Structures are given as structure tokens and as C-alpha cells.
Amino acid sequence: MPQQDRADFETELGRALAAPQVRAALRESGDEARGVERLRRTARENAAYVLAAAAPEYERYALLRADADAQARLPVDAPERERASGWWGVLAVIVPIVAVAAAVVFLLLGYVLGSALVAAGWVAAGVGAVSLLVGGAGLFGAAARGKGSADGEADGPGDLVQARDAWRSALAERGLVPFLVAQATVRQV
């Protein structure tokens, strides 16, 4: 059993040992005091047998987990469209700041010195305003595209969680509880 599944097995084993059917079987056998630890040890020793009862659910879970792991290992190299959205961020944030700062400097110097810097200041202010509008529109568009793709990906992890829950339920109901009830009636010599 892979390491990542051991914790789930142990959790379900603990729940199964606390199940009313198992407790009742231990009481009937007269070994309730030491029986829990004996059953825990026996279940661990026979884990392959117990796990076989939930094999179809485990296969689905393992397949979905392998797909998710493979997806997570894909290169981070962003597609061309996603890289372009980075340029919108630059355009929306940096260019307006630089353009407005330049406009303020040019306008102040132009009015103080009475030079042609006034015209350059107004041009820089116009560039800042236009880049702010275009960049903001680009960011909204990128955010809308990102939200759409995130909504489409929401089913993947949900399927994985459902498959894991289905496996754990099958492990408890068809594997651990029946096994533990049967083992509780076996007398230790």
C-alpha cells in the first residue's frame, strides 16, 4: 500500500474498531479489553486481503490521483495567451505611473521655465490616461478568462475527493468491518 494511503487505512481502521458491530462481536467473544489491539494488529497484517474488498473504488481513486499528479508535474511554461495577460498588467500599472510622473515633472518645469516642456507634459498625461484605460480593460479581460478556466477545472479535484471518499467508505463497509467482526469471534490460543 502506498505511503499516502496508509493514513486513510489507519483512519478507517480506527473508525471500524469503534463500529457497533465490531464492539458487539468483541463483547460476545469476551475479549473486549485486549481484543481491539489484537484486531488492529490482525487488520494491519492482513491489509492486502482487507483492501481487496474495495479494489474497484481504489482503482478509480488511484487513477484519478495519478492524473492529478501528472497534471501537477506539467511544465509551468504559460501558454501565449497567459503571457500576454502579464503585459496587460505592466500596461495597466507601470506605464500609467511613469507617464503621470513624467507629466507632472514636465508640466511643472514647463510652466516654471515657460518652455516647450508644457506640451511634452500634456502628451505624457494623455499617454498615462490612455494606457490606464487600455491596461485596465486588458486586466478585466484576463481576469474574466482566468475565472472561466478556473470554473472548468473545479470538477477535477472534486472527482478526486469523491473517489477517495468512495474508496474509504467501501474499505470500511465491505472490508474492515466484516473482517474485524469475523476476527473478533476467533479465539486466541
Side-chain angles (χ1 to χ4, degrees), residues 19 23 28 31 45 86 97 120 122 125 138 162:
R23 292 296 182 173
E28 289 175 18
D31 191 23
E45 290 169 357
I97 291 172
W122 286 113
Q162 289 175 349

Side-chain angles (χ1 to χ4, degrees), residues 90-143:
V90 170
L91 188 62
V93 177
I94 295 175
V95 172
I97 291 172
V98 172
V100 168
V104 168
V105 170
F106 290 154
L107 287 172
L108 284 175
L109 287 174
Y111 283 120
V112 169
L113 298 174
S115 67
L117 287 177
V118 173
W122 286 113
V123 169
V127 168
V130 168
S131 64
L132 184 62
L133 290 173
V134 170
L139 283 178
F140 284 125

Side-chain angles (χ1 to χ4, degrees), residues 12-186:
E12 293 306 319
L13 177 57
R15 288 182 184 156
L17 287 168
Q21 307 94 306
V22 175
R23 292 296 182 173
L26 282 172
R27 273 192 302 278
E28 289 175 18
S29 72
D31 191 23
E32 194 171 2
R34 292 185 336 224
V36 171
E37 286 310 310
R38 178 178 61 83
L39 289 179
R40 183 182 310 276
R41 185 179 60 251
T42 303
R44 286 176 181 158
E45 290 169 357
N46 295 290
Y49 174 78
V50 173
L51 289 166
E57 289 83 0
Y58 183 76
E59 288 174 14
R60 175 163 162 59
Y61 169 54
L63 179 66
L64 288 172
R65 185 176 55 201
D67 287 346
D69 290 346
Q71 196 76 2
R73 285 191 292 263
L74 287 176
V76 182
D77 187 28
E80 193 66 35
R81 188 172 78 185
E82 290 179 20
R83 278 184 275 177
S85 68
W87 287 107
W88 288 116
V90 170
L91 188 62
V93 177
I94 295 175
V95 172
I97 291 172
V98 172
V100 168
V104 168
V105 170
F106 290 154
L107 287 172
L108 284 175
L109 287 174
Y111 283 120
V112 169
L113 298 174
S115 67
L117 287 177
V118 173
W122 286 113
V123 169
V127 168
V130 168
S131 64
L132 184 62
L133 290 173
V134 170
L139 283 178
F140 284 125
R145 283 192 305 272
K147 184 177 186 273
S149 66
D151 290 344
E153 293 170 2
D155 293 342
D159 288 346
L160 182 61
V161 169
Q162 289 175 349
R164 179 178 178 228
D165 290 345
W167 168 62
R168 289 176 64 167
S169 293
L171 176 62
E173 295 167 9
R174 293 195 319 256
L176 286 166
V177 171
F179 177 80
L180 294 172
V181 168
Q183 291 298 312
T185 60
V186 174

